[in-house]
Amino acid sequence: MAIVTIRDLNKKYENGFHAVKDVNLEIRDKEFMVLVGPSGCGKTTTLRMVAGLEEITSGEIRIGERVVNDLPPMDRDIAMVFQNYALYPHKTVFDNMAFGLQMRKYPKDEVLKRVRDAADILGIEALLERKPRQLSGGQRQRVAVGRAIVRHPQVFLFDEPLSNLDAKLRVQMRVELKRLHERLETTAIYVTHDQVEAMTLGTRVVVMKDGYVQQVGEPLVLYGQPANKFVAGFIGSPAMNFVDVSISGDGRHAETEGLRLNVPDRIRAHGGKRLTLGVRPEALRIANGSDEHGFATKVDVVEPLGNEILLNFRAGGAPMVARVDPGVRLKAHESVRFAVDPERLHFFDATSEAAL
Amino acid sequence: MLIERKWKKWVFFYLPMAVFIVFTLFPFYWMAITAFRPDNELYATWRQPNAAPLWTLHPTLEHFVGLMKTTAFPTWLWNTMAIALVATGISLVCGMFAGYALARLKFRGSEFLGTAIFITYLVPQTLLFIPLADIVRDLQLGNTPWALMLTYPTFLIPFCTWLLMGYFKTIPKELEECARIDGATRFGAMVRIIFPVAIPGILSAGIFAFTLSWNEFIYALIFMSSADQKTVPVGVVSELIRGDIFFWGQLMMGALLGSVPVAIVYSFFVEYYVTGLTGSVKG
């Protein structure tokens, strides 16, 4: 049973850089929590503070019932998988995996059993006698994961574990990690800068920026109801389209040069204001005769991806992308009308960038 | 095209390489043939019939026997070995801890300390021996092996510290972070993970320190006075040049025997030594 509770966590480096600001999180038991954000957003620093590798400037971290602020890493009952795997190069795969158990003075047959079990789960039984330099990237990754799971820790910490792998292997390992988490039922905190990884792996996802938590939620909630413009732009690929608009006096339309769209009822109250409008590429569709509120534009780049087509164009002075069905036959520089369901429009305050 | 490349390789690679090898190895060759050359051949003029300046016609062990019987050479060899080993040991241990601390621990003034240690290495021994002689005399260590065992580290520790600091910096710090999560203390992670991974660096620092102490001359000349306390470099020079007479055969035999242990140490560890200097750790 391990709930990880983070209260008012701050990290200020000696050079004055404030990396983590007032972070509050509760990671539930057996949850797979993903911290995601651009580089320098404080996600790795937060993870390293949970691990005990960085000192906490202020705040409190609890693992289970214990406050671990001043506990050394070895006493926190955690295991961590690093981006560069950090396998001990002078030890065999077996000894790499056994090291943590040996340090904790487990009896020999217990060590042997646990290492064999972990190797079996990860399919690396045949590699146990090899040295890390004789392994491929994917195999090293498995050993690093194996080294973490033999210990049966209360919490797994992952620091961008897949980013050194090639794209294909990354997708494969992503699925394996998810399967592994379901099997082991252990709380996990996972740091990544890749929003796809975050969405696919996370039970819940924490989006961070500039040291602040922007939003915490289940992947589809982040996608459907982003708390602010940053989260809206960060989650989803291609990213959400943004354009600055003014709301008409009666609060019925969002307008800007060459663009006039119906808005949902909740925006009525903002009549006369300037807002940022966001629309996901997949919310845009090619208008047909019955669509009364669309807008006309010219496609400038067509990206046929096979399962979908991305159409790049400009509207209201901003570059936009629409994701359409592969059946659509359009060439670059052709004119087209797009329509969008008002309920699928997002609006953000122009200054605070909070979602409305 | 291919043929042109071949001759280019000969002219620009093999030929300069050959010249370089001959240039470097000739003194050793000269030392070796002189050591085995009887005196009458040694002092014969080159114009004499049958003269073979680049070859020994009647190789002999007379200089070896002379060196062993008339001088304290075996004792010098033993002294040199013992002093070099102890001085290297002390310096390596200090250098490993100091180098690790400078590479990994962030403490106030660590950069300054690193630079300061390096600067002490730059103070020439020809200046440093004067105050050191005073200290050696005060501690009454003069003419004992401890005079050298304790003074050699004054230049070996800075050297080892710098070489090892550079090497430790190439080891990913995640290795010891992982060890600390796995249940090791900071000290445990250093001893169980970082030191074993740094073996190439430690060996090359050790080889260098050993060679430097083995060949050291000034301190050995000044702090050791009686013949049975001398080291090979000093003993050979001070006991085999009497007045203006050079005992060339024995001198060269002494030099040859003195360089053999170093050559053995080098060749034995050459692979470690190269990776130690280029500093490559693959995860």
Side-chain angles (χ1 to χ4, degrees), chain B residues 27-44:
Chain B
F28 291 94
Y29 173 71
W30 194 249
M31 175 174 80
I33 58 163
T34 310
F36 291 105
R37 195 181 279 215
D39 276 339
N40 59 354
E41 252 185 68
L42 201 55
Y43 294 114

Side-chain angles (χ1 to χ4, degrees), chain B residues 108-127:
Chain B
R108 203 172 278 274
S110 62
E111 299 247 319
F112 170 78
L113 197 65
T115 319
I117 287 175
F118 187 63
I119 287 173
T120 59
Y121 183 62
L122 298 180
V123 178
Q125 281 168 269
T126 42
L127 279 181

Side-chain angles (χ1 to χ4, degrees), chain A residues 98-316:
Chain A
F99 183 72
L101 299 173
Q102 288 162 348
M103 289 304 291
R104 287 176 163 76
K105 307 257 184 315
Y106 277 76
K108 256 194 177 145
D109 44 342
E110 174 73 8
V111 173
L112 195 70
K113 185 180 168 298
R114 285 205 190 182
V115 173
R116 295 229 171 270
D117 285 351
D120 181 49
I121 291 173
L122 294 160
I124 51 173
E125 304 99 314
L127 309 176
L128 287 176
E129 294 314 312
R130 297 220 198 144
K131 289 275 177 73
R133 65 170 174 278
Q134 297 165 301
L135 305 177
S136 69
Q139 290 170 332
R140 288 180 195 186
Q141 184 59 61
R142 272 169 225 266
V143 176
V145 172
R147 189 169 59 175
I149 65 176
V150 289
R151 291 240 322 276
H152 303 174
Q154 287 204 63
V155 184
F156 284 122
L157 306 177
F158 296 93
D159 184 9
E160 309 219 6
L162 303 184
S163 49
N164 278 10
L165 300 177
D166 63 59
K168 204 171 169 187
L169 205 51
R170 201 179 310 158
V171 174
Q172 188 189 331
M173 282 304 286
R174 202 166 72 196
V175 177
E176 281 189 38
L177 277 182
K178 190 154 190 172
R179 209 172 277 147
L180 191 68
H181 176 251
E182 256 161 42
R183 176 167 178 170
L184 298 175
E185 297 193 316
T186 307
T187 312
I189 309 178
Y190 185 105
V191 161
T192 179
H193 60 266
D194 180 351
Q195 55 96 13
V196 177
E197 235 167 67
M199 300 290 275
T200 50
L201 282 171
T203 323
R204 283 192 303 156
V205 177
V206 181
V207 182
M208 292 184 73
K209 184 198 171 199
D210 298 335
Y212 289 109
V213 170
Q214 304 290 316
Q215 189 173 4
V216 185
E218 286 168 24
L220 292 180
V221 173
L222 294 187
Y223 176 85
Q225 295 124 40
N228 57 35
K229 187 180 163 192
F230 175 78
V231 176
F234 194 79
I235 302 292
S237 173
M240 185 184 278
N241 302 299
F242 294 109
V243 58
D244 289 329
V245 294
S246 31
I247 304 297
S248 59
D250 59 1
R252 287 174 184 276
H253 302 289
E255 297 166 329
T256 183
E257 192 192 336
L259 197 68
R260 183 180 156 88
L261 294 169
N262 279 1
V263 301
D265 294 342
R266 63 193 158 88
I267 297 302
R268 286 267 151 91
H270 298 279
K273 278 198 201 162
R274 284 197 67 77
L275 299 176
T276 302
L277 177 150
V279 55
R280 294 211 178 267
E282 45 275 25
L284 290 163
R285 62 173 192 273
I286 309 264
N288 53 39
S290 61
D291 281 312
E292 30 183 324
H293 290 290
F295 58 94
T297 183
K298 225 177 214 178
V299 173
D300 45 47
V301 177
V302 178
E303 298 175 85
L305 298 181
N307 60 337
E308 64 195 22
I309 297 178
L310 301 182
L311 302 173
N312 294 265
F313 58 92
R314 292 187 73 85

Side-chain angles (χ1 to χ4, degrees), chain B residues 170-184:
Chain B
T170 66
I171 299 175
K173 68 177 190 319
E174 285 86 354
L175 277 188
E176 59 185 302
E177 289 178 348
C178 194
R180 284 168 65 202
I181 291 175
D182 267 349

